Amino acid sequence: MTLHTDTTQSDTFVADVIAAADAETAALLQASTDVSTAGLGPHRESMRRAKLLVAVFLEPASAFTGSPAVVGLAETYARILHDLQSPTGLFLGGDNVESPPDTGFTINDVGDILELARRSGDPRLDRVAEILGGIADRAAPAMLAGGVHTPNHRWELSAALVRLHRHRPDERLTARAREWLAEGVDIDADGLYSERSANYAVYVSNPSLLVIADILDLPELHEVVARNLEATLGLIHPDGSVETVHSRRQDQREPVFPLAPYALHYRHLALETGRGDFAWAARVAASAPVIDPQTALADMLLHPALREALPSAVPPATRVRHAWPVSGLVVDRTPERTLVVFGGSDYAVARRIRSGLASNPTFLRLFGGDAVLESVRLSRHFFGLGPFRADRMTVADDRIVLEEHLSPAYFGPLDAARRRPDGDYRVVDEGRFSAAMSFDERPRHEVPLDTRIEIVPIEDGAEVTVETDGPICAWNLEFAFRAGGAFEGVTPAADGTVVLGSGSARYRVGADAIEVGPGTGSSAAAGYLPGEDYDYLGGTDALGGPRLYVSGTTPGRATVTVRRVR
């Protein structure tokens, strides 16, 4: 799908949100006739449903305005939530046991319902407010004393604290939130939060900072959110997705992260600042089906200004290059294609795969109309060290260079003074694996491999040159395409893969195609090797779907062109 950027279309976001909320409410009411399908927990889902029901009850344009059935079901979910709360005031669920930040997600929704009920003054919501108010009061001590374990949790927990204060004023709650804020918001020079995650920016950091700003009167936090949204503008792709290859969280594995969840935030800041580029992004995000209508509708009730008409939209330039140096990311656009280059992996520093690190080995992506090259990776048969992940990136006007230096070693005998007759040596990680061999005390005999990938953007694609210096070993360039098309000029194997020995091949989706070639003539075995980090447990980060391989052997140099054709 190619993104449509018609900025003259009518702004139907408010009506779409109400319609989506009504549709979900109708489904809940129908399911509630059988308690087994009413949805008992988990706590976050029960709270979302209660929030939805209260929002449609109060929304004048909803088909369920003032519905007794809706209030009755909201009370049911409030009671379910009450029963799910542990004696500590926290909620149990998932593998984060007794978690203040995970509880914070639910308490933030509780806080918004309590505020909606208070503002409405509708006595029919008194019972819901009474149950939820008790939940909030029991949670407050744990939220006040509790800690976190990811960067975004600080803002989620702080948002819960200020909402609890809004419900029942207690200066200890705001003091604790200010203590977290005093650490400084983790937004970098690129305008991205430290986790570089679209998922956590849109669902946690941005909405949390906005509500903290409003309740504590800290307008500078709106400026932080605006910086993040501005940085995200360059990450919006022609298919309406947001780039995630550079993320340090789970969404680095999701090549398609929708822009739709950003609709409310771009709308909020577009109306606040009058920015036409934000208005454009708000319209594009709102062109997709509404995500989380309970949140959008509740926010529109709490902030009536969100219902106002957007400013005139200003679409992005069709020819532009964006760079995020801290993240090691470049997005280069022409009217023919969008090119993504990533050289900001954390693997070079950490030398491990770990939650919270950017470790995606994809270094190139290409959007060519409806044909999408999701990933280009370089795999090597070299000591089980896995695919190429750049440890250096250089960006010039006419080219982008990614480099990596690897130096695995063989180890010699220990010096006589370090030998132990019982053979009992320390367990040490030598970079590939760990063993009881005191590797750090042994002489090293290194086997270096230097890899340089030069990417030269061209009007319809890019020229990719792989240059290697080191011992003889096989390598494979893997070109992984988005499903929905078919290869031309080659016959794929049963698993959907193609080995390109010579010439070129195309992957076509409708009128658009991406061409790759030429092959190198190499007879090296094709395939992808995830590396020892995955292999030793039988795991993998390999991609599926349509894939094309170009093989080669080190040392040497090979150039492959990838381009959009029609």
Side-chain angles (χ1 to χ4, degrees):
M1 178 190 75
T2 301
L3 184 66
H4 297 290
T5 57
D6 179 8
T7 58
T8 64
Q9 60 185 341
S10 59
D11 181 6
T12 63
F13 179 68
V14 174
D16 292 343
V17 168
I18 295 170
D22 279 359
E24 289 199 10
T25 298
L28 281 181
L29 288 170
Q30 184 176 8
S32 68
T33 58
D34 180 353
V35 70
S36 66
T37 60
L40 304 179
H43 64 94
R44 289 171 67 176
E45 183 59 28
S46 294
M47 193 63 254
R48 288 189 190 104
R49 294 175 178 182
K51 185 176 185 177
L52 171 73
L53 294 163
V54 171
V56 296
F57 177 83
L58 293 174
E59 170 54 49
S62 169
F64 298 97
T65 302
S67 166
V70 163
V71 173
L73 190 54
E75 290 181 15
T76 296
Y77 282 115
R79 288 194 298 270
I80 291 171
L81 192 67
H82 172 275
D83 294 342
L84 290 171
Q85 192 173 24
S86 78
T88 65
L90 300 173
F91 291 98
L92 307 180
D95 56 0
N96 292 332
V97 179
E98 297 285 0
S99 167
D102 284 270
T103 297
F105 287 99
T106 290
I107 294 302
N108 275 310
D109 283 342
V110 168
D112 279 351
I113 293 183
L114 289 171
E115 181 65 8
L116 286 173
R118 183 191 68 80
R119 291 187 190 182
S120 74
D122 194 321
R124 292 173 291 180
L125 291 175
D126 285 353
R127 180 56 182 156
V128 173
E130 180 184 354
I131 297 170
L132 295 181
I135 290 171
D137 290 341
R138 286 190 296 276
M143 304 300 285
L144 182 62
V148 302
H149 60 86
T150 69
N152 71 81
H153 280 170
R154 293 172 293 179
W155 322 131
E156 181 70 31
L157 184 55
S158 296
L161 290 167
V162 300
R163 280 183 167 105
L164 288 168
H165 170 76
R166 182 177 62 185
H167 165 63
R168 197 177 302 284
D170 183 339
E171 294 304 319
R172 294 175 302 170
L173 297 169
T174 56
R176 180 68 161 178
R178 292 181 187 276
E179 188 177 2
W180 286 115
L181 289 169
E183 295 187 0
V185 178
D186 58 323
I187 192 165
D188 61 27
D190 289 345
L192 302 179
Y193 298 111
S194 64
E195 293 173 290
R196 302 181 345 202
S197 165
N199 180 67
Y200 288 105
V202 74
Y203 285 117
V204 184
S205 295
N206 284 341
S208 296
L209 292 172
L210 286 174
V211 76
I212 295 167
D214 292 343
I215 295 175
L216 296 186
D217 190 23
L218 297 172
E220 61 269 27
L221 296 183
H222 280 232
E223 297 173 9
V224 171
V225 174
R227 283 179 58 199
N228 179 256
L229 294 180
E230 183 173 11
T232 304
L233 287 171
L235 299 172
I236 301 172
H237 288 317
D239 64 349
S241 66
V242 178
E243 184 56 61
T244 58
V245 69
H246 58 302
S247 174
R248 286 179 163 141
R249 297 304 304 273
Q250 299 93 327
D251 53 351
Q252 67 181 282
R253 303 192 300 266
E254 300 176 15
V256 181
F257 186 90
L259 182 65
Y262 282 90
L264 202 65
H265 304 148
Y266 273 118
R267 186 179 193 88
H268 190 142
L269 271 296
L271 291 167
E272 183 176 290
T273 65
R275 290 184 57 160
D277 51 356
F278 284 5
W280 172 84
R283 287 179 179 273
V284 173
S287 67
V290 175
I291 292 179
D292 291 332
Q294 79 285 348
T295 296
L297 185 54
D299 278 4
M300 290 193 305
L301 290 165
L302 291 167
H303 306 283
L306 290 171
R307 299 172 187 262
E308 297 176 4
L310 286 167
S312 297
V314 178
T318 58
R319 188 182 300 277
V320 66
R321 174 183 289 184
H322 297 281
W324 296 263
V326 178
S327 294
L329 186 70
V330 173
V331 177
D332 188 282
R333 305 187 196 280
T334 71
E336 285 296 306
R337 53 89 183 132
T338 294
L339 189 71
V340 179
V341 180
F342 175 54
S345 174
D346 291 321
Y347 193 80
V349 175
R351 289 298 175 192
R352 65 180 63 192
I353 306 297
R354 179 77 72 195
S355 177
L357 297 177
S359 56
N360 194 325
T362 295
F363 67 84
L364 181 70
R365 303 182 71 206
L366 178 70
F367 294 76
D370 289 334
V372 178
L373 175 58
E374 294 280 23
S375 169
V376 181
R377 299 178 177 186
L378 177 64
S379 179
R380 293 79 54 92
H381 294 256
F382 187 71
F383 287 89
L385 290 178
F388 171 88
R389 293 181 173 94
D391 52 35
R392 183 181 178 190
M393 180 179 190
T394 306
V395 181
D397 289 341
D398 62 340
R399 69 197 59 231
I400 303 164
V401 177
L402 308 176
E403 297 175 271
E404 179 194 49
H405 174 73
L406 298 176
S407 55
Y410 295 105
F411 295 86
L414 288 165
D415 291 341
R418 298 182 182 276
R419 296 169 190 162
R420 296 179 58 94
D422 60 3
D424 184 16
Y425 299 103
R426 292 178 298 110
V427 175
V428 174
D429 189 326
E430 61 87 43
R432 292 177 294 162
F433 57 90
S434 299
M437 287 187 63
S438 297
F439 287 120
D440 56 339
E441 297 178 353
R442 296 174 180 272
R444 292 172 56 91
H445 306 285
E446 296 187 355
V447 184
L449 173 65
D450 290 297
T451 304
R452 183 179 187 270
I453 299 179
E454 181 181 272
I455 299 162
V456 178
I458 56 178
E459 182 68 18
D460 54 2
E463 295 175 352
V464 181
T465 299
V466 177
E467 187 172 3
T468 56
D469 184 20
I472 297 174
C473 64
W475 57 257
N476 285 282
L477 272 174
E478 178 187 75
F479 299 82
F481 297 88
R482 184 171 296 177
F487 286 108
E488 295 179 341
V490 288
T491 301
D495 63 356
T497 62
V498 167
V499 177
L500 185 65
S502 61
S504 299
R506 294 181 176 183
Y507 183 79
R508 180 170 296 279
V509 181
D512 295 309
I514 293 175
E515 182 178 80
V516 178
T520 63
S522 170
S523 59
Y528 174 79
L529 301 174
E532 187 71 13
D533 286 314
Y534 290 97
D535 278 342
Y536 87 102
L537 285 178
T540 187
D541 66 343
L543 299 172
R547 283 156 289 151
L548 181 148
Y549 292 96
V550 174
S551 300
T553 304
T554 62
R557 177 185 174 95
T559 297
V560 179
T561 299
V562 53
R563 53 191 289 264
R564 178 188 183 182
V565 295
R566 299 175 191 262

